[in-house]
Amino acid sequence: MASDHTRSAILAAAERLYADRGFGDVTLRDIVAAASVNLAAVNYHFGSKDELIAELFVTRSIATNRERLRELKAAEEQGGGRAPIEVILHALVGPTLRGCLGPENQRSTAARFMIRASIESVPPIRRIKNREIDHLRKFAGAMRRALPDRSDVDIYWGLNFALAMAHHTIRESERLTKLSEGKCDLDDVEDVIARVVSVATMALTAGRNEAKAPPRALARDAR
Amino acid sequence: MASDHTRSAILAAAERLYADRGFGDVTLRDIVAAASVNLAAVNYHFGSKDELIAELFVTRSIATNRERLRELKAAEEQGGGRAPIEVILHALVGPTLRGCLGPENQRSTAARFMIRASIESVPPIRRIKNREIDHLRKFAGAMRRALPDRSDVDIYWGLNFALAMAHHTIRESERLTKLSEGKCDLDDVEDVIARVVSVATMALTAGRNEAKAPPRALARDAR
DNA sequence: TTGCAATTCAAACACTTGTATGAAACTATC
DNA sequence: GATAGTTTCATACAAGTGTTTGAATTGCAA
């Protein structure tokens, strides 16, 4: 195993460079230069560039997923196997938002890296994301238990919309700040989480009919 | 101006290839081969690869934005300068969703291209998206007129969440289908639009306090 | 037809990319 | 301190990229 120094120097440098400049224009040569390491070291320690990226992403997303499940499990145990829907949603989007938002100058490299990964979506990362379905199914299950009257379809749509709001807010946080001229405070992470959870809860608990029957007259008018 | 044949052959081939295989692994050589055209033609007619991509994206997004504003204007005129919030949201997300979802086999090349653009986000496209803020401000204005009691902050958050649900659903439509084992029907575009509009409307009209005050006790518990 | 501009073409250019190689340097074990 | 295994290093490789060039061709007007 030896010193491991080179390995972790590469990981740190790569994460920082990718976070700062995106996957698009950071080359292996940039990384090894920043890490003060030989070019061949990347292939020696990681096999390939894609495996390096994958390792960075996996590390971080495992941490997030673990935190999510920890919150979920704690909530369900406390509620005797059934947690309130707000708390489930909180466990779903909280760790991600907490990990990626917050005051920019004190945002960790890891957080900035994950934002990049969310924006740019390179192949090795896409492959990993596709394996996340099993993880999401656990949340779908908890949501079903919390809302036994709700159809599966509604559950999945609610899950989809919750993730949508969280991820889009992360991806487009800069644009939202600009659009709102700073009125939307993306640094107040707990407020952002509360907003997402609140809307997602409404989506999941509102009268079933409303969600499915559009105001047809209005919709047709606008055509 | 001459024949223009080469120019449009390139545009068509590029749009199809990018739609099918993504920006990542389509080269100029692939495009000119598909268009039966000489390699140098791209630079001759468009200046550079990035300008070709930009032209493709601008064309489509101008069409979408025009459609959005047409619906918005029609609705506001009909309501004497003030349209119902549902209709405004419908005008905002309808054209995009209608353009990108629907039965896969009858999805237009343009639609599939726009999905790619939404997923991969290459530099020339990102640059254009950043100029979309003025367009969104028009919708923020209409929403303010529809909900004069609402604070600007809430308006912008509602706008953000509406776009979030629409775009995320497009980006991750495949994953949602898989996750729900086909139960969520992404081909029924009008139903998807209705769901997004419904949730966004709730987000914008629900009691103001709920949105800001999280169930603090529960949130703390889960930590 | 002649002349001139617009277009097309084959070829090469100039670079960058990730990866592979094989020798050198190091490290720990006996 | 010799040896075996690991790690580092300079260097080269092979392939692919967008772009440029300058000559050939085309189309159209005088």
Side-chain angles (χ1 to χ4, degrees):
Chain A
M1 266 289 127
S3 79
D4 247 10
H5 170 270
T6 303
R7 216 187 122 85
S8 47
I10 292 173
L11 285 171
E15 186 168 57
R16 193 172 59 74
L17 285 176
Y18 285 141
D20 286 344
R21 293 161 36 193
F23 298 99
D25 57 63
V26 171
T27 71
L28 286 189
R29 284 169 175 81
D30 294 332
I31 293 171
V32 299
S36 304
V37 148
N38 186 271
L39 174 59
V42 172
N43 289 277
Y44 178 79
H45 285 281
F46 298 92
S48 70
K49 180 199 183 187
D50 278 10
E51 290 175 83
L52 165 61
I53 294 177
E55 176 158 338
L56 281 170
F57 184 73
V58 163
T59 304
R60 300 304 176 189
S61 77
I62 283 179
T64 302
N65 288 350
R66 187 167 27 219
E67 177 65 11
R68 278 172 160 174
L69 287 179
R70 207 184 58 70
E71 284 193 24
L72 176 65
K73 213 178 147 209
E76 285 209 309
E77 276 173 5
Q78 190 181 322
R82 188 181 296 187
I85 185 66
E86 293 93 340
V87 183
I88 297 172
L89 291 168
H90 193 275
L92 179 69
V93 303
T96 309
L97 285 166
R98 227 174 276 123
C100 293
L101 290 182
E104 188 161 358
N105 50 7
Q106 56 183 268
R107 225 178 262 169
S108 70
T109 308
R112 280 159 43 236
F113 174 82
M114 290 305 272
I115 296 175
R116 278 289 176 195
S118 161
I119 294 178
E120 287 193 31
S121 164
V122 288
I125 290 181
R126 258 200 303 273
R127 276 193 286 273
I128 294 163
K129 276 189 183 156
N130 286 341
R131 295 192 222 112
E132 244 195 357
I133 290 195
D134 288 337
H135 180 254
L136 292 180
R137 263 192 233 286
K138 292 177 188 160
F139 278 86
M143 290 163 70
R144 237 193 311 264
R145 287 190 288 280
L147 305 169
D149 295 338
R150 229 50 214 193
S151 72
D152 275 11
V153 180
D154 287 350
I155 296 282
Y156 288 122
W157 274 111
L159 181 56
N160 177 61
F161 286 157
L163 292 174
M165 291 185 280
H167 286 150
H168 184 91
T169 300
I170 292 168
R171 282 168 58 93
E172 307 285 342
S173 60
E174 216 169 298
R175 194 172 73 166
L176 178 56
T177 302
K178 205 186 297 179
L179 175 66
S180 72
E181 292 165 317
K183 285 173 190 148
C184 292
D185 182 12
L186 278 296
D187 293 349
D188 186 351
V189 186
E190 295 305 323
D191 179 63
V192 175
I193 295 175
R195 284 178 183 275
V196 171
V197 169
S198 162
V199 176
T201 302
M202 284 190 281
L204 280 158
T205 56
R208 195 178 287 122
N209 298 331
E210 296 173 37
K212 281 192 178 158
R216 193 174 299 273
L218 293 174
R220 290 287 169 230
D221 274 353
R223 274 230 88 185
Chain B
M1 266 291 128
S3 79
D4 247 10
H5 169 271
T6 303
R7 216 188 123 85
S8 48
I10 292 173
L11 284 171
E15 186 169 56
R16 194 172 57 74
L17 285 176
Y18 284 141
D20 286 343
R21 294 161 34 194
F23 297 99
D25 57 63
V26 172
T27 70
L28 286 190
R29 284 170 174 80
D30 294 331
I31 293 171
V32 298
S36 303
V37 145
N38 186 272
L39 174 60
V42 172
N43 289 278
Y44 179 79
H45 284 282
F46 299 91
S48 70
K49 181 198 184 189
D50 277 11
E51 289 175 82
L52 165 61
I53 294 178
E55 176 158 337
L56 281 170
F57 184 72
V58 163
T59 304
R60 299 305 174 190
S61 77
I62 282 179
T64 302
N65 288 350
R66 188 167 27 219
E67 176 66 10
R68 278 171 161 176
L69 286 180
R70 208 185 58 71
E71 285 194 24
L72 176 64
K73 212 177 148 208
E76 284 209 310
E77 276 173 3
Q78 190 181 321
R82 189 181 296 188
I85 186 67
E86 293 93 339
V87 183
I88 297 172
L89 291 168
H90 193 275
L92 180 69
V93 302
T96 309
L97 285 165
R98 226 175 276 123
C100 293
L101 291 182
E104 188 160 358
N105 49 6
Q106 56 184 268
R107 226 177 263 169
S108 70
T109 308
R112 280 160 42 237
F113 173 82
M114 290 305 272
I115 296 174
R116 279 289 177 196
S118 161
I119 294 178
E120 287 194 31
S121 166
V122 288
I125 290 181
R126 257 201 302 275
R127 276 192 286 273
I128 294 163
K129 277 188 184 158
N130 285 340
R131 295 193 221 112
E132 245 195 355
I133 291 196
D134 288 338
H135 180 254
L136 292 181
R137 264 191 232 286
K138 292 177 188 159
F139 277 88
M143 290 163 70
R144 237 193 310 263
R145 286 189 289 278
L147 304 170
D149 295 338
R150 232 44 216 193
S151 72
D152 275 11
V153 180
D154 287 350
I155 295 281
Y156 288 121
W157 274 109
L159 180 57
N160 177 62
F161 286 156
L163 292 174
M165 292 185 280
H167 287 150
H168 184 92
T169 301
I170 291 167
R171 281 167 58 94
E172 307 285 341
S173 60
E174 216 170 297
R175 194 173 72 165
L176 179 55
T177 302
K178 205 185 298 177
L179 175 66
S180 72
E181 291 166 319
K183 285 173 190 146
C184 291
D185 182 11
L186 277 297
D187 292 350
D188 186 350
V189 186
E190 295 304 323
D191 180 62
V192 176
I193 295 175
R195 284 179 182 275
V196 172
V197 169
S198 161
V199 175
T201 302
M202 284 191 281
L204 280 157
T205 56
R208 196 179 287 123
N209 298 332
E210 295 172 38
K212 282 195 178 159
R216 192 174 299 272
L218 294 174
R220 292 286 169 229
D221 274 353
R223 273 231 89 185

